[in-house]
Amino acid sequence: MPVTSQPPGRRERNKQEKLDRITAAATELFAEYGVEDVTTQQIADKADIGTGTLFLYAKTKGELLLLVQNANYAEALQRGRADAETIRDALGAVMAVVRPIVECNRTQIDNGRFYLREMVFGDPTEPHHSAALSIVGQTEEAIAAILDRDELGGVGDAATTARIISAIMFVSMAASVNAGLEIEALVQDIRTQISLLIPR
Amino acid sequence: MPVTSQPPGRRERNKQEKLDRITAAATELFAEYGVEDVTTQQIADKADIGTGTLFLYAKTKGELLLLVQNANYAEALQRGRADAETIRDALGAVMAVVRPIVECNRTQIDNGRFYLREMVFGDPTEPHHSAALSIVGQTEEAIAAILDRDELGGVGDAATTARIISAIMFVSMAASVNAGLEIEALVQDIRTQISLLIPR
DNA sequence: ACTCATTATTGAGTCCAGTCAGTTTACGTC
DNA sequence: GACGTAAACTGACTGGACTCAATAATGAGT
């Protein structure tokens, strides 16, 4: 028998494989039809598992969306952080962090809004939820770091300012009023607000 | 026959009376058990109407909560506006507007959070929803008026600042992290954030 | 008083997220 | 390689929001 596995058991492998199938199925279906128009049954069928099994891997449909999308947001944050380093002025650097996240969120508007809803109103003890919150935390840290870096003369606590920026992003992306906005317009809208927080 | 009615028809009266019964039933049940633990069936039963009838008056359970709570928020806003007039400094005046709204929201935490969720993610074409949005709009106007009143040297557009304050309130009240906070602590948390927007 | 179009009401029925008692599978032990 | 048992899986079932075809009430016209 060839040495196929590092991890000890078949159990672990099966579990991982199932999780992969679920992730793949959900990713595909959510992308094509939107969270709201996909039933958990469809996902289970596509992943070729029983109805109940699905909920062993994600306790709710919302958690399932977080599971599927967290990686994208983490990547967006990564890109934004890198871009920000190349930019001198604070506002520009902050927007460099903001933009990829907004783009990620708007890949599919309904899914994006659902994601935000889950983040704020979902159960924070669930694993994928807390992963999402962690990404938000890292985003705020990245922004705070930019503000600190640029010595903004102690207008206020950088962490608090970052928190406000986070709130601005959330509400701007989630608001139904903005649901029709193009990405660029939304980014501009957010920029206008943030510019009040970062004096020149 | 005594002159019982100003409005022309029996139809209108019946409808109004039914709406009153629904409002009363929902108010009572929501207050006692919380939105999440009350079924639409219970409300219909208590209001003594058919299951389907309920949804002619409020299209979703969320709308029902808005119907029940909007009046309270409008009243809170009214109080806050009045209080604000008696206060000189901008931050204090803004907080005078903020506090009653937070108090109203925290009367029952779960209901408060559900209300916020409905506001941001509900269907804005529904009547009670747009009423709620109108209250938010008025709140922002009241805050903008305070900022304008106090000539804050053109730090930025008052309307935009008001919008940011609104976002701060929303996220602070809705965040699950803050769900355990006492009203006073929550108000303080919000105050800390707002103080960064209102230089002295 | 009667007709009839319009509007309001109704509750049995649909849909779907999520549960749970029962079954299967993996794996350590003898 | 048979046994025990713990972990994983399953799909029939439940609960609850919401729908809709059928029915009832209203009131305008005659």
Side-chain angles (χ1 to χ4, degrees):
Chain A
M1 191 198 292
V3 179
T4 37
S5 57
Q6 278 168 305
R10 166 151 53 236
R11 246 186 204 173
E12 285 310 310
R13 261 182 294 125
N14 279 345
K15 240 160 67 133
Q16 184 57 51
E17 205 222 310
K18 232 159 240 180
L19 179 58
D20 290 346
R21 288 213 307 277
I22 291 171
T23 309
T27 301
E28 217 168 302
L29 289 171
F30 285 166
E32 180 156 9
Y33 305 103
V35 213
E36 315 258 10
D37 290 339
V38 172
T39 68
T40 53
Q41 200 46 244
Q42 285 175 278
I43 296 169
D45 289 349
K46 183 152 192 167
D48 194 29
I49 56 173
T51 324
T53 309
L54 190 61
F55 294 97
L56 296 174
Y57 290 82
K59 222 179 205 160
T60 67
K61 199 183 180 185
E63 272 286 298
L64 210 46
L65 185 66
L66 296 184
L67 160 66
V68 160
Q69 300 260 315
N70 278 339
N72 297 332
Y73 282 92
E75 203 200 319
L77 171 59
Q78 207 56 14
R79 264 181 288 135
R81 261 197 291 235
D83 289 357
E85 274 177 19
T86 71
I87 297 178
R88 271 289 177 326
D89 73 303
L91 179 56
V94 170
M95 288 310 297
V97 171
V98 170
R99 165 167 269 126
I101 294 172
V102 174
E103 283 167 354
C104 177
N105 186 260
R106 284 286 155 139
T107 302
Q108 216 270 33
I109 297 186
D110 288 343
N111 289 358
R113 296 183 70 209
F114 198 104
Y115 182 90
L116 296 172
R117 178 163 112 209
E118 196 57 28
M119 280 226 350
V120 172
F121 296 104
D123 178 353
T125 66
E126 289 302 310
H128 305 305
H129 186 112
S130 65
L133 289 184
S134 155
I135 293 173
V136 174
Q138 288 169 47
T139 305
E140 292 183 14
E141 277 167 28
I143 291 173
I146 292 170
L147 299 177
D148 274 336
R149 170 191 88 175
D150 289 31
E151 298 283 358
L152 289 173
V155 177
D157 185 17
T160 305
T161 305
R163 218 182 129 198
I164 296 174
I165 291 173
S166 181
I168 290 172
M169 288 175 66
F170 178 87
V171 173
S172 299
M173 291 191 289
S176 40
V177 190
N178 293 353
L181 258 48
E182 294 300 320
I183 290 181
E184 211 42 52
L186 183 55
V187 169
Q188 274 314 312
D189 183 41
I190 293 172
R191 186 192 162 95
T192 304
Q193 294 175 72
I194 295 180
S195 68
L196 291 198
L197 283 165
I198 304 184
R200 298 153 158 302
Chain B
M1 194 199 288
V3 180
T4 37
S5 57
Q6 276 168 305
R10 166 155 48 240
R11 244 182 204 179
E12 286 311 308
R13 259 181 296 126
N14 278 345
K15 243 160 67 134
Q16 183 58 50
E17 204 221 312
K18 231 159 240 179
L19 178 58
D20 290 347
R21 289 214 306 278
I22 291 172
T23 309
T27 301
E28 217 168 302
L29 289 171
F30 286 165
E32 180 155 10
Y33 305 104
V35 213
E36 315 259 11
D37 290 338
V38 172
T39 67
T40 53
Q41 201 43 247
Q42 285 176 280
I43 296 169
D45 288 349
K46 183 151 191 167
D48 194 29
I49 56 173
T51 324
T53 310
L54 190 61
F55 294 97
L56 296 173
Y57 290 82
K59 221 177 204 161
T60 67
K61 199 183 182 186
E63 274 285 299
L64 212 45
L65 184 66
L66 296 184
L67 160 65
V68 160
Q69 300 258 315
N70 278 340
N72 298 332
Y73 283 91
E75 203 199 321
L77 171 59
Q78 206 58 11
R79 263 183 288 134
R81 261 197 292 236
D83 289 358
E85 275 178 18
T86 71
I87 297 177
R88 272 288 178 327
D89 73 303
L91 180 55
V94 168
M95 289 308 297
V97 171
V98 170
R99 166 168 268 126
I101 294 171
V102 174
E103 283 167 354
C104 178
N105 185 260
R106 285 286 154 139
T107 302
Q108 216 269 33
I109 296 186
D110 289 342
N111 290 358
R113 295 183 72 209
F114 198 105
Y115 181 90
L116 296 172
R117 177 165 113 206
E118 196 56 26
M119 280 227 347
V120 172
F121 296 103
D123 177 354
T125 66
E126 288 303 308
H128 305 305
H129 185 111
S130 63
L133 290 184
S134 155
I135 293 173
V136 174
Q138 287 169 48
T139 305
E140 292 184 14
E141 278 167 28
I143 291 173
I146 292 170
L147 299 177
D148 274 335
R149 172 190 86 176
D150 289 32
E151 298 284 357
L152 289 174
V155 177
D157 185 17
T160 304
T161 306
R163 221 182 125 196
I164 297 174
I165 291 174
S166 180
I168 290 171
M169 287 174 66
F170 178 87
V171 173
S172 298
M173 291 191 289
S176 41
V177 190
N178 294 351
L181 257 48
E182 293 301 319
I183 289 182
E184 212 42 51
L186 183 55
V187 169
Q188 275 313 312
D189 183 41
I190 292 172
R191 186 193 162 94
T192 303
Q193 294 175 72
I194 294 180
S195 68
L196 292 199
L197 283 164
I198 305 183
R200 295 144 164 309

